[in-house]
């Protein structure tokens, strides 16, 4: 309606009302307040609110060479873990006035490289890539001036800052919990017999190290090929049961596959944790509501999101300077719930 029309408010109008210079208003709007008193800052904010001043983001981006957006490349959209990661990063970047845009790489090497190609990075002020294609050697061909932070399994020969998950340590702790609880035949759901730097191989390595540390032999037949979703976990346990394999615990490489394992065991009339203990990895929200509630590994998700944002913001602030490459690893913690409360000496499943 014509009566509701508000004329365009300029920065000069805000400055006039607040009794300051337009430069002071610009400093407040852009967060450069080190030399602005709290009283002056309050007057500027009050004037902005009263007049309804809005920053012209398009013009601002052109002047500053910024787009106001950060990209996030993730292997899949159909994952509670990556959904929670995207949500955490979105909230944290929003606190810095940045919008998060998500790209699906499918976890393929070619797509991960393409997501970091210069033509794509021109659209962003910075980019976060959650690696799923193993190591980072395939990224050496990427040459970009856009700030990039990697989220991955293990930091190898990359030129980018890297926030790493302690897959080996987390799997070692999870398996150790089962062994100390009396388990002696632990199925590694999604485990692989391979010497590589992928998530499955690293978590399998931790599983094997826990056995070695406690002097318990490993039955390689209990490395159960599986995808990492609910259906994969369900199918992997069903195959073990159909084969008549003996096991008294399950270390699932993800929470999603652990929840599938719980369903398969319930369908077979097997009680968890009385007959078979189950533990997952990633501490997703669903595990807090499964029956029984799922024990898991918390990989420091909140701290990892904080580190990603801190690293990328630092790179964005110092694009003209030289910063040493940084690698950040946060400690993992066990989250013990109902699915691993079996007492020592529990009978192995025949």
């Amino acid at each position: 309606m014509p009566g509701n029309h508000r004329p365009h408010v300029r920065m000069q109008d805000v400055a006039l009302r607040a009794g300051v210079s337009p430069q002071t208003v610009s400093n407040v709007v852009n967060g450069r307040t080190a030399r602005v008193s709290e009283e002056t800052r309050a007057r500027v904010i009050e004037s902005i609110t009263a007049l309804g001043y809005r920053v012209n983001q398009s013009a601002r981006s052109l002047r500053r060479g910024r787009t106001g957006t950060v990209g996030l490349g993730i292997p899949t959209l159909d994952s509670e873990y990556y959904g929670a990661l995207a949500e955490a990063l979105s909230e944290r970047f929003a606190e810095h006035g940045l919008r998060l845009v998500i790209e699906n790489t499918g976890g393929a090497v070619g797509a991960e490289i393409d997501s970091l190609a210069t033509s794509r990075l021109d659209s962003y002020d910075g980019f976060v890539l959650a690696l799923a294609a193993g190591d980072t050697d395939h990224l050496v061909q990427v040459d970009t001036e856009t700030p990039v932070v990697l989220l991955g399994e293990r930091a190898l020969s990359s030129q980018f800052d890297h926030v790493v998950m302690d897959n080996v340590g987390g799997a070692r702790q999870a398996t150790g919990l089962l062994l100390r609880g009396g388990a002696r035949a632990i199925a590694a759901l999604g485990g692989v017999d391979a010497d590589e730097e992928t998530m499955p191989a690293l978590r399998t390595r931790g599983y094997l190290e826990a056995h070695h540390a406690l002097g318990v032999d490993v039955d390689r037949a209990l490395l159960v090929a599986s995808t990492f979703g609910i259906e994969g976990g369900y199918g992997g346990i069903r195959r073990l049961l159909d084969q008549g394999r003996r096991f008294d615990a399950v270390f699932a490489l993800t929470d999603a596959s652990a929840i599938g394992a719980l369903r398969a065991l319930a369908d077979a009339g097997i009680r968890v944790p009385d007959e078979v203990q189950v533990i997952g990895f990633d501490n997703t929200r669903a595990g807090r509501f499964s029956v029984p509630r799922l024990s898991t590994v918390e990989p420091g998700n909140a701290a990892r999101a904080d580190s990603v944002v801190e690293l990328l913001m630092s790179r964005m602030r110092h694009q003209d300077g030289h910063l040493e490459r940084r690698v950040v690893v946060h400690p993992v913690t066990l989250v013990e719930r109902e699915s691993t409360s079996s007492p020592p000496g529990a009978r192995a499943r025949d």
Side-chain angles (χ1 to χ4, degrees):
M1 295 177 62
N4 291 334
H5 175 71
R6 174 174 283 184
H8 175 66
V9 179
R10 302 170 303 163
M11 187 175 290
Q12 291 86 341
D13 299 322
V14 175
L16 182 63
R17 177 185 172 91
V20 299
S21 68
Q23 182 59 52
T24 299
V25 176
S26 177
N27 288 340
V28 172
V29 167
N30 290 286
R32 300 188 298 265
T33 57
R35 297 184 179 180
V36 179
S37 70
E38 186 59 36
E39 179 185 353
T40 299
R41 178 177 174 276
R43 284 207 316 275
V44 171
I45 291 175
E46 187 278 331
S47 297
I48 289 172
T49 303
L51 295 175
Y53 175 68
R54 296 290 182 270
V55 179
N56 187 330
Q57 291 290 355
S58 297
R60 184 182 181 189
S61 295
L62 288 173
R63 288 195 302 271
R64 299 173 63 195
R66 298 284 181 86
T67 66
T69 60
V70 171
L72 170 65
I74 57 177
T76 177
L77 300 178
D78 185 21
S79 164
E80 182 183 345
Y81 171 76
Y82 285 113
L85 170 66
E87 182 178 5
L89 290 175
S90 178
E91 291 173 354
R92 286 159 173 78
F93 280 121
E95 294 172 359
H96 295 275
L98 294 167
R99 183 167 55 91
L100 191 70
V101 177
I102 298 172
E103 297 188 11
N104 183 5
T105 68
V109 171
E112 290 182 349
I113 293 174
D114 186 52
S115 69
L116 293 181
T118 302
S119 60
R120 301 278 285 277
L121 287 183
D122 285 344
S123 303
Y124 305 117
D125 295 335
F127 199 84
V128 180
L129 176 61
L131 291 168
D135 60 49
T136 57
D137 289 340
H138 61 284
L139 299 180
V140 296
Q141 63 188 274
V142 177
D143 182 17
T144 178
E145 295 181 358
T146 301
V148 172
V149 174
L150 303 179
L151 268 167
E153 313 307 336
R154 187 173 182 180
L156 296 171
S157 57
S158 167
Q159 70 269 38
F160 303 117
D161 291 336
H162 205 140
V163 179
V164 183
M165 182 182 292
D166 186 6
N167 286 288
V168 176
R172 187 168 54 239
Q173 289 188 40
T175 307
L177 177 68
L178 298 174
L179 291 169
R180 290 190 300 274
R184 288 298 179 267
I186 303 173
L189 186 55
V192 295
D193 194 358
D195 183 18
E196 55 191 26
E197 303 301 323
T198 60
M199 179 275 281
L202 292 170
R203 294 184 185 180
T204 303
R205 188 179 304 169
Y207 161 89
L208 296 172
E209 287 181 2
H211 283 80
H212 178 74
L214 294 176
V216 178
D217 292 334
V218 175
D219 180 359
R220 296 272 173 170
L222 292 179
L223 298 180
V224 184
S226 169
T227 55
F228 304 113
I230 294 175
E231 296 86 353
Y234 183 91
I237 294 301
R238 286 302 318 176
R239 287 195 302 277
L240 273 186
L241 294 172
D242 291 344
Q243 293 165 6
R245 294 289 182 186
R246 176 180 177 273
F247 64 100
D248 55 10
V250 176
F251 165 49
L253 271 62
T254 66
D255 279 1
S257 60
I259 290 171
L262 290 177
R263 180 72 260 175
L265 292 168
D267 285 353
I270 299 169
R271 295 170 298 160
V272 176
D274 298 330
E275 296 176 90
V276 173
Q277 299 182 70
V278 178
I279 192 167
F281 199 121
D282 291 334
N283 195 23
T284 57
R285 186 178 295 112
R288 298 199 293 270
F289 299 95
S290 61
V291 181
R293 291 182 176 86
L294 181 66
S295 294
T296 187
V297 176
E298 165 54 56
N301 289 324
R304 292 170 71 237
D306 288 339
S307 291
V308 167
V309 174
E310 189 278 325
L311 288 171
L312 196 64
M313 295 303 299
S314 179
R315 289 286 173 188
M316 290 166 60
R317 288 192 298 267
H318 298 89
Q319 278 186 265
D320 296 330
H322 176 71
L323 292 176
E324 293 293 331
R325 174 181 178 247
R326 288 167 290 177
V327 176
V328 179
V329 183
H330 290 285
V332 300
T333 54
L334 283 175
V335 180
E336 297 183 51
R337 299 194 182 107
E338 298 166 347
S339 65
T340 54
S341 59
S342 180
R347 180 176 62 87
R349 179 69 192 173
D350 295 322

